[in-house]
PDB file of all heavy atoms in Angstrom:
ATOM      1  N   ARG A1017      69.934 101.132 162.836  1.00  0.00           N
ATOM      2  CA  ARG A1017      70.700 100.681 163.996  1.00  0.00           C
ATOM      3  C   ARG A1017      70.272 101.433 165.253  1.00  0.00           C
ATOM      4  O   ARG A1017      71.099 101.852 166.051  1.00  0.00           O
ATOM      5  CB  ARG A1017      72.202 100.884 163.777  1.00  0.00           C
ATOM      6  CG  ARG A1017      72.734 100.365 162.464  1.00  0.00           C
ATOM      7  CD  ARG A1017      72.656  98.846 162.429  1.00  0.00           C
ATOM      8  NE  ARG A1017      73.409  98.302 161.309  1.00  0.00           N
ATOM      9  CZ  ARG A1017      72.836  97.833 160.198  1.00  0.00           C
ATOM     10  NH1 ARG A1017      71.524  97.861 160.033  1.00  0.00           N
ATOM     11  NH2 ARG A1017      73.591  97.316 159.250  1.00  0.00           N
ATOM     12  N   VAL A1068      73.748  91.774 160.391  1.00  0.00           N
ATOM     13  CA  VAL A1068      74.778  91.576 161.399  1.00  0.00           C
ATOM     14  C   VAL A1068      74.167  91.279 162.756  1.00  0.00           C
ATOM     15  O   VAL A1068      74.777  90.632 163.599  1.00  0.00           O
ATOM     16  CB  VAL A1068      75.666  92.829 161.454  1.00  0.00           C
ATOM     17  CG1 VAL A1068      76.649  92.742 162.580  1.00  0.00           C
ATOM     18  CG2 VAL A1068      76.384  92.988 160.138  1.00  0.00           C
ATOM     19  N   ALA A1242      86.984 100.952 173.659  1.00  0.00           N
ATOM     20  CA  ALA A1242      86.842 101.910 172.568  1.00  0.00           C
ATOM     21  C   ALA A1242      86.132 101.195 171.421  1.00  0.00           C
ATOM     22  O   ALA A1242      86.252  99.987 171.282  1.00  0.00           O
ATOM     23  CB  ALA A1242      88.226 102.390 172.128  1.00  0.00           C
ATOM     24  N   PRO A1243      85.400 101.845 170.587  1.00  0.00           N
ATOM     25  CA  PRO A1243      85.177 103.298 170.547  1.00  0.00           C
ATOM     26  C   PRO A1243      83.911 103.733 171.283  1.00  0.00           C
ATOM     27  O   PRO A1243      83.531 104.880 171.172  1.00  0.00           O
ATOM     28  CB  PRO A1243      85.008 103.533 169.045  1.00  0.00           C
ATOM     29  CG  PRO A1243      84.377 102.272 168.560  1.00  0.00           C
ATOM     30  CD  PRO A1243      84.835 101.168 169.447  1.00  0.00           C
ATOM     31  N   ARG A1244      83.297 102.815 172.003  1.00  0.00           N
ATOM     32  CA  ARG A1244      82.035 103.229 172.631  1.00  0.00           C
ATOM     33  C   ARG A1244      82.230 103.584 174.094  1.00  0.00           C
ATOM     34  O   ARG A1244      81.391 104.217 174.704  1.00  0.00           O
ATOM     35  CB  ARG A1244      80.995 102.115 172.476  1.00  0.00           C
ATOM     36  CG  ARG A1244      80.723 101.830 171.005  1.00  0.00           C
ATOM     37  CD  ARG A1244      79.711 100.754 170.840  1.00  0.00           C
ATOM     38  NE  ARG A1244      78.406 101.193 171.299  1.00  0.00           N
ATOM     39  CZ  ARG A1244      77.400 100.367 171.541  1.00  0.00           C
ATOM     40  NH1 ARG A1244      77.573  99.078 171.414  1.00  0.00           N
ATOM     41  NH2 ARG A1244      76.253 100.822 171.941  1.00  0.00           N
ATOM     42  N   HIS A1284      78.141  89.204 171.474  1.00  0.00           N
ATOM     43  CA  HIS A1284      77.091  89.680 170.581  1.00  0.00           C
ATOM     44  C   HIS A1284      76.312  88.482 170.056  1.00  0.00           C
ATOM     45  O   HIS A1284      75.085  88.493 170.011  1.00  0.00           O
ATOM     46  CB  HIS A1284      77.720  90.466 169.440  1.00  0.00           C
ATOM     47  CG  HIS A1284      76.746  90.877 168.399  1.00  0.00           C
ATOM     48  ND1 HIS A1284      75.769  91.810 168.637  1.00  0.00           N
ATOM     49  CD2 HIS A1284      76.580  90.468 167.126  1.00  0.00           C
ATOM     50  CE1 HIS A1284      75.044  91.966 167.546  1.00  0.00           C
ATOM     51  NE2 HIS A1284      75.517  91.166 166.618  1.00  0.00           N
ATOM     52  N   ILE A1293      80.996  86.141 168.243  1.00  0.00           N
ATOM     53  CA  ILE A1293      81.001  87.488 167.687  1.00  0.00           C
ATOM     54  C   ILE A1293      80.848  88.408 168.893  1.00  0.00           C
ATOM     55  O   ILE A1293      79.832  88.375 169.581  1.00  0.00           O
ATOM     56  CB  ILE A1293      79.832  87.713 166.719  1.00  0.00           C
ATOM     57  CG1 ILE A1293      79.784  86.619 165.659  1.00  0.00           C
ATOM     58  CG2 ILE A1293      79.924  89.092 166.086  1.00  0.00           C
ATOM     59  CD1 ILE A1293      80.903  86.656 164.678  1.00  0.00           C
ATOM     60  N   ALA A1294      81.877  89.182 169.145  1.00  0.00           N
ATOM     61  CA  ALA A1294      81.915  89.930 170.399  1.00  0.00           C
ATOM     62  C   ALA A1294      82.269  91.379 170.116  1.00  0.00           C
ATOM     63  O   ALA A1294      82.766  91.684 169.034  1.00  0.00           O
ATOM     64  CB  ALA A1294      82.940  89.303 171.323  1.00  0.00           C
ATOM     65  N   PRO A1295      82.037  92.246 171.060  1.00  0.00           N
ATOM     66  CA  PRO A1295      82.419  93.647 170.862  1.00  0.00           C
ATOM     67  C   PRO A1295      83.893  93.748 170.499  1.00  0.00           C
ATOM     68  O   PRO A1295      84.716  92.947 170.952  1.00  0.00           O
ATOM     69  CB  PRO A1295      82.159  94.286 172.227  1.00  0.00           C
ATOM     70  CG  PRO A1295      81.150  93.423 172.862  1.00  0.00           C
ATOM     71  CD  PRO A1295      81.346  92.044 172.324  1.00  0.00           C
ATOM     72  N   VAL A1296      84.221  94.706 169.696  1.00  0.00           N
ATOM     73  CA  VAL A1296      85.573  94.809 169.168  1.00  0.00           C
ATOM     74  C   VAL A1296      86.587  94.936 170.310  1.00  0.00           C
ATOM     75  O   VAL A1296      86.327  95.587 171.321  1.00  0.00           O
ATOM     76  CB  VAL A1296      85.674  95.993 168.193  1.00  0.00           C
ATOM     77  CG1 VAL A1296      85.564  97.317 168.910  1.00  0.00           C
ATOM     78  CG2 VAL A1296      86.958  95.934 167.394  1.00  0.00           C
ATOM     79  N   GLY A1297      87.703  94.257 170.145  1.00  0.00           N
ATOM     80  CA  GLY A1297      88.744  94.289 171.166  1.00  0.00           C
ATOM     81  C   GLY A1297      88.841  92.984 171.929  1.00  0.00           C
ATOM     82  O   GLY A1297      89.846  92.707 172.563  1.00  0.00           O
ATOM     83  N   LEU A1298      87.788  92.182 171.860  1.00  0.00           N
ATOM     84  CA  LEU A1298      87.814  90.981 172.688  1.00  0.00           C
ATOM     85  C   LEU A1298      88.745  89.913 172.150  1.00  0.00           C
ATOM     86  O   LEU A1298      89.219  89.068 172.901  1.00  0.00           O
ATOM     87  CB  LEU A1298      86.398  90.435 172.863  1.00  0.00           C
ATOM     88  CG  LEU A1298      85.630  91.136 173.963  1.00  0.00           C
ATOM     89  CD1 LEU A1298      84.271  90.510 174.150  1.00  0.00           C
ATOM     90  CD2 LEU A1298      86.382  91.057 175.278  1.00  0.00           C
ATOM     91  N   GLU A1330      85.082  87.984 160.490  1.00  0.00           N
ATOM     92  CA  GLU A1330      85.628  89.320 160.768  1.00  0.00           C
ATOM     93  C   GLU A1330      85.089  90.331 159.772  1.00  0.00           C
ATOM     94  O   GLU A1330      84.949  91.506 160.073  1.00  0.00           O
ATOM     95  CB  GLU A1330      87.157  89.314 160.703  1.00  0.00           C
ATOM     96  CG  GLU A1330      87.831  88.604 161.845  1.00  0.00           C
ATOM     97  CD  GLU A1330      88.143  87.172 161.503  1.00  0.00           C
ATOM     98  OE1 GLU A1330      87.502  86.632 160.571  1.00  0.00           O
ATOM     99  OE2 GLU A1330      89.011  86.578 162.160  1.00  0.00           O
ATOM    100  N   LEU A1333      80.462  89.205 159.163  1.00  0.00           N
ATOM    101  CA  LEU A1333      79.553  89.440 160.281  1.00  0.00           C
ATOM    102  C   LEU A1333      80.007  90.670 161.056  1.00  0.00           C
ATOM    103  O   LEU A1333      79.958  90.712 162.266  1.00  0.00           O
ATOM    104  CB  LEU A1333      79.524  88.221 161.195  1.00  0.00           C
ATOM    105  CG  LEU A1333      78.846  87.013 160.584  1.00  0.00           C
ATOM    106  CD1 LEU A1333      78.945  85.830 161.513  1.00  0.00           C
ATOM    107  CD2 LEU A1333      77.385  87.318 160.287  1.00  0.00           C
ATOM    108  N   ASN A1334      80.489  91.627 160.347  1.00  0.00           N
ATOM    109  CA  ASN A1334      80.991  92.805 161.028  1.00  0.00           C
ATOM    110  C   ASN A1334      80.369  94.038 160.407  1.00  0.00           C
ATOM    111  O   ASN A1334      79.758  93.984 159.344  1.00  0.00           O
ATOM    112  CB  ASN A1334      82.510  92.870 160.905  1.00  0.00           C
ATOM    113  CG  ASN A1334      83.141  93.514 162.104  1.00  0.00           C
ATOM    114  OD1 ASN A1334      82.490  94.286 162.809  1.00  0.00           O
ATOM    115  ND2 ASN A1334      84.383  93.214 162.340  1.00  0.00           N
ATOM    116  N   GLU A1335      80.589  95.110 161.069  1.00  0.00           N
ATOM    117  CA  GLU A1335      79.983  96.327 160.620  1.00  0.00           C
ATOM    118  C   GLU A1335      80.956  97.442 160.928  1.00  0.00           C
ATOM    119  O   GLU A1335      81.552  97.467 161.994  1.00  0.00           O
ATOM    120  CB  GLU A1335      78.704  96.541 161.405  1.00  0.00           C
ATOM    121  CG  GLU A1335      77.709  97.390 160.700  1.00  0.00           C
ATOM    122  CD  GLU A1335      76.371  97.269 161.399  1.00  0.00           C
ATOM    123  OE1 GLU A1335      76.336  97.100 162.632  1.00  0.00           O
ATOM    124  OE2 GLU A1335      75.372  97.363 160.715  1.00  0.00           O
ATOM    125  N   LEU A1336      81.154  98.337 160.001  1.00  0.00           N
ATOM    126  CA  LEU A1336      82.048  99.456 160.256  1.00  0.00           C
ATOM    127  C   LEU A1336      81.237 100.649 160.717  1.00  0.00           C
ATOM    128  O   LEU A1336      80.309 101.077 160.036  1.00  0.00           O
ATOM    129  CB  LEU A1336      82.851  99.792 159.000  1.00  0.00           C
ATOM    130  CG  LEU A1336      83.805  98.683 158.579  1.00  0.00           C
ATOM    131  CD1 LEU A1336      84.560  99.066 157.334  1.00  0.00           C
ATOM    132  CD2 LEU A1336      84.781  98.350 159.690  1.00  0.00           C
ATOM    133  N   ARG A1337      81.619 101.141 161.853  1.00  0.00           N
ATOM    134  CA  ARG A1337      80.874 102.278 162.404  1.00  0.00           C
ATOM    135  C   ARG A1337      81.441 103.582 161.874  1.00  0.00           C
ATOM    136  O   ARG A1337      82.422 103.607 161.133  1.00  0.00           O
ATOM    137  CB  ARG A1337      80.956 102.252 163.923  1.00  0.00           C
ATOM    138  CG  ARG A1337      80.235 101.077 164.523  1.00  0.00           C
ATOM    139  CD  ARG A1337      80.567 100.959 165.990  1.00  0.00           C
ATOM    140  NE  ARG A1337      80.014 102.062 166.764  1.00  0.00           N
ATOM    141  CZ  ARG A1337      78.800 102.055 167.292  1.00  0.00           C
ATOM    142  NH1 ARG A1337      78.022 101.013 167.131  1.00  0.00           N
ATOM    143  NH2 ARG A1337      78.377 103.080 167.989  1.00  0.00           N
ATOM    144  N   SER A1338      80.825 104.633 162.303  1.00  0.00           N
ATOM    145  CA  SER A1338      81.205 105.941 161.781  1.00  0.00           C
ATOM    146  C   SER A1338      82.615 106.325 162.225  1.00  0.00           C
ATOM    147  O   SER A1338      82.984 106.143 163.385  1.00  0.00           O
ATOM    148  CB  SER A1338      80.228 106.985 162.303  1.00  0.00           C
ATOM    149  OG  SER A1338      80.822 108.253 162.255  1.00  0.00           O
ATOM    150  N   GLU A1341      83.660 108.548 165.422  1.00  0.00           N
ATOM    151  CA  GLU A1341      83.959 108.112 166.778  1.00  0.00           C
ATOM    152  C   GLU A1341      85.459 108.168 167.061  1.00  0.00           C
ATOM    153  O   GLU A1341      85.878 108.147 168.215  1.00  0.00           O
ATOM    154  CB  GLU A1341      83.447 106.691 166.996  1.00  0.00           C
ATOM    155  CG  GLU A1341      81.936 106.653 167.093  1.00  0.00           C
ATOM    156  CD  GLU A1341      81.417 105.250 167.278  1.00  0.00           C
ATOM    157  OE1 GLU A1341      82.077 104.300 166.830  1.00  0.00           O
ATOM    158  OE2 GLU A1341      80.342 105.099 167.862  1.00  0.00           O
ATOM    159  N   VAL A1363      89.170 103.054 160.003  1.00  0.00           N
ATOM    160  CA  VAL A1363      88.498 101.769 160.181  1.00  0.00           C
ATOM    161  C   VAL A1363      87.976 101.706 161.605  1.00  0.00           C
ATOM    162  O   VAL A1363      88.731 101.890 162.552  1.00  0.00           O
ATOM    163  CB  VAL A1363      89.479 100.610 159.927  1.00  0.00           C
ATOM    164  CG1 VAL A1363      88.784  99.292 160.151  1.00  0.00           C
ATOM    165  CG2 VAL A1363      90.021 100.692 158.531  1.00  0.00           C
ATOM    166  N   ASN A1364      86.712 101.470 161.729  1.00  0.00           N
ATOM    167  CA  ASN A1364      86.111 101.448 163.055  1.00  0.00           C
ATOM    168  C   ASN A1364      85.112 100.300 163.136  1.00  0.00           C
ATOM    169  O   ASN A1364      83.908 100.508 163.075  1.00  0.00           O
ATOM    170  CB  ASN A1364      85.435 102.795 163.317  1.00  0.00           C
ATOM    171  CG  ASN A1364      84.877 102.875 164.715  1.00  0.00           C
ATOM    172  OD1 ASN A1364      85.196 102.045 165.562  1.00  0.00           O
ATOM    173  ND2 ASN A1364      84.029 103.854 164.951  1.00  0.00           N
ATOM    174  N   PRO A1365      85.613  99.084 163.226  1.00  0.00           N
ATOM    175  CA  PRO A1365      84.709  97.934 163.232  1.00  0.00           C
ATOM    176  C   PRO A1365      83.936  97.837 164.546  1.00  0.00           C
ATOM    177  O   PRO A1365      84.365  98.381 165.567  1.00  0.00           O
ATOM    178  CB  PRO A1365      85.639  96.741 163.065  1.00  0.00           C
ATOM    179  CG  PRO A1365      86.942  97.210 163.592  1.00  0.00           C
ATOM    180  CD  PRO A1365      87.020  98.680 163.343  1.00  0.00           C
ATOM    181  N   THR A1366      82.825  97.128 164.482  1.00  0.00           N
ATOM    182  CA  THR A1366      81.996  96.984 165.667  1.00  0.00           C
ATOM    183  C   THR A1366      82.315  95.703 166.423  1.00  0.00           C
ATOM    184  O   THR A1366      82.284  95.683 167.638  1.00  0.00           O
ATOM    185  CB  THR A1366      80.517  96.941 165.267  1.00  0.00           C
ATOM    186  OG1 THR A1366      80.303  97.932 164.282  1.00  0.00           O
ATOM    187  CG2 THR A1366      79.628  97.207 166.449  1.00  0.00           C
ATOM    188  N   PHE A1367      82.605  94.663 165.659  1.00  0.00           N
ATOM    189  CA  PHE A1367      82.737  93.366 166.307  1.00  0.00           C
ATOM    190  C   PHE A1367      84.085  92.728 166.035  1.00  0.00           C
ATOM    191  O   PHE A1367      84.787  93.068 165.096  1.00  0.00           O
ATOM    192  CB  PHE A1367      81.637  92.416 165.825  1.00  0.00           C
ATOM    193  CG  PHE A1367      80.255  92.926 166.076  1.00  0.00           C
ATOM    194  CD1 PHE A1367      79.404  93.200 165.020  1.00  0.00           C
ATOM    195  CD2 PHE A1367      79.825  93.171 167.358  1.00  0.00           C
ATOM    196  CE1 PHE A1367      78.139  93.689 165.251  1.00  0.00           C
ATOM    197  CE2 PHE A1367      78.557  93.658 167.599  1.00  0.00           C
ATOM    198  CZ  PHE A1367      77.713  93.916 166.533  1.00  0.00           C
ATOM    199  N   ASP A1368      84.386  91.801 166.888  1.00  0.00           N
ATOM    200  CA  ASP A1368      85.552  90.960 166.752  1.00  0.00           C
ATOM    201  C   ASP A1368      85.054  89.534 166.690  1.00  0.00           C
ATOM    202  O   ASP A1368      84.016  89.219 167.272  1.00  0.00           O
ATOM    203  CB  ASP A1368      86.417  91.101 168.011  1.00  0.00           C
ATOM    204  CG  ASP A1368      87.753  91.737 167.730  1.00  0.00           C
ATOM    205  OD1 ASP A1368      88.010  92.015 166.547  1.00  0.00           O
ATOM    206  OD2 ASP A1368      88.514  91.959 168.666  1.00  0.00           O
ATOM    207  N   TYR A1369      85.797  88.695 166.053  1.00  0.00           N
ATOM    208  CA  TYR A1369      85.473  87.275 166.096  1.00  0.00           C
ATOM    209  C   TYR A1369      86.484  86.578 166.989  1.00  0.00           C
ATOM    210  O   TYR A1369      87.696  86.698 166.769  1.00  0.00           O
ATOM    211  CB  TYR A1369      85.500  86.679 164.696  1.00  0.00           C
ATOM    212  CG  TYR A1369      85.328  85.183 164.678  1.00  0.00           C
ATOM    213  CD1 TYR A1369      84.112  84.617 165.017  1.00  0.00           C
ATOM    214  CD2 TYR A1369      86.381  84.355 164.348  1.00  0.00           C
ATOM    215  CE1 TYR A1369      83.948  83.250 165.014  1.00  0.00           C
ATOM    216  CE2 TYR A1369      86.230  82.979 164.340  1.00  0.00           C
ATOM    217  CZ  TYR A1369      85.008  82.437 164.674  1.00  0.00           C
ATOM    218  OH  TYR A1369      84.848  81.074 164.677  1.00  0.00           O
TER     219      TYR A1369
ATOM    220  N   HIS B1935      91.696 102.282 166.063  1.00  0.00           N
ATOM    221  CA  HIS B1935      92.014 102.227 167.484  1.00  0.00           C
ATOM    222  C   HIS B1935      92.489 100.829 167.846  1.00  0.00           C
ATOM    223  O   HIS B1935      92.347  99.886 167.063  1.00  0.00           O
ATOM    224  CB  HIS B1935      90.801 102.626 168.334  1.00  0.00           C
ATOM    225  CG  HIS B1935      89.585 101.813 168.040  1.00  0.00           C
ATOM    226  ND1 HIS B1935      89.332 100.609 168.646  1.00  0.00           N
ATOM    227  CD2 HIS B1935      88.558 102.023 167.191  1.00  0.00           C
ATOM    228  CE1 HIS B1935      88.196 100.120 168.184  1.00  0.00           C
ATOM    229  NE2 HIS B1935      87.716 100.949 167.299  1.00  0.00           N
ATOM    230  N   ASN B1937      91.589  98.479 169.746  1.00  0.00           N
ATOM    231  CA  ASN B1937      90.705  97.325 169.822  1.00  0.00           C
ATOM    232  C   ASN B1937      90.497  96.688 168.461  1.00  0.00           C
ATOM    233  O   ASN B1937      90.191  95.504 168.367  1.00  0.00           O
ATOM    234  CB  ASN B1937      89.348  97.740 170.398  1.00  0.00           C
ATOM    235  CG  ASN B1937      89.382  97.758 171.900  1.00  0.00           C
ATOM    236  OD1 ASN B1937      90.304  97.235 172.506  1.00  0.00           O
ATOM    237  ND2 ASN B1937      88.387  98.382 172.498  1.00  0.00           N
ATOM    238  N   ALA B1938      90.640  97.482 167.430  1.00  0.00           N
ATOM    239  CA  ALA B1938      90.385  96.963 166.090  1.00  0.00           C
ATOM    240  C   ALA B1938      91.624  96.325 165.497  1.00  0.00           C
ATOM    241  O   ALA B1938      91.625  95.954 164.329  1.00  0.00           O
ATOM    242  CB  ALA B1938      89.887  98.081 165.194  1.00  0.00           C
ATOM    243  N   PHE B1941      91.225  93.129 163.827  1.00  0.00           N
ATOM    244  CA  PHE B1941      90.453  93.238 162.592  1.00  0.00           C
ATOM    245  C   PHE B1941      91.363  93.606 161.434  1.00  0.00           C
ATOM    246  O   PHE B1941      91.296  93.037 160.348  1.00  0.00           O
ATOM    247  CB  PHE B1941      89.371  94.311 162.767  1.00  0.00           C
ATOM    248  CG  PHE B1941      88.613  94.639 161.509  1.00  0.00           C
ATOM    249  CD1 PHE B1941      87.554  93.859 161.101  1.00  0.00           C
ATOM    250  CD2 PHE B1941      88.965  95.731 160.742  1.00  0.00           C
ATOM    251  CE1 PHE B1941      86.867  94.156 159.948  1.00  0.00           C
ATOM    252  CE2 PHE B1941      88.270  96.045 159.588  1.00  0.00           C
ATOM    253  CZ  PHE B1941      87.210  95.247 159.187  1.00  0.00           C
TER     254      PHE B1941
END
Side-chain angles (χ1 to χ4, degrees):
Chain A
R1017 311 293 192 256
V1068 174
R1244 299 180 68 195
H1284 174 68
I1293 308 291
V1296 69
L1298 277 183
E1330 288 94 339
L1333 290 176
N1334 212 336
E1335 204 167 33
L1336 295 180
R1337 293 169 68 88
S1338 158
E1341 288 179 332
V1363 178
N1364 184 13
T1366 317
F1367 302 117
D1368 245 357
Y1369 173 69
Chain B
H1935 55 86
N1937 276 346
F1941 173 83

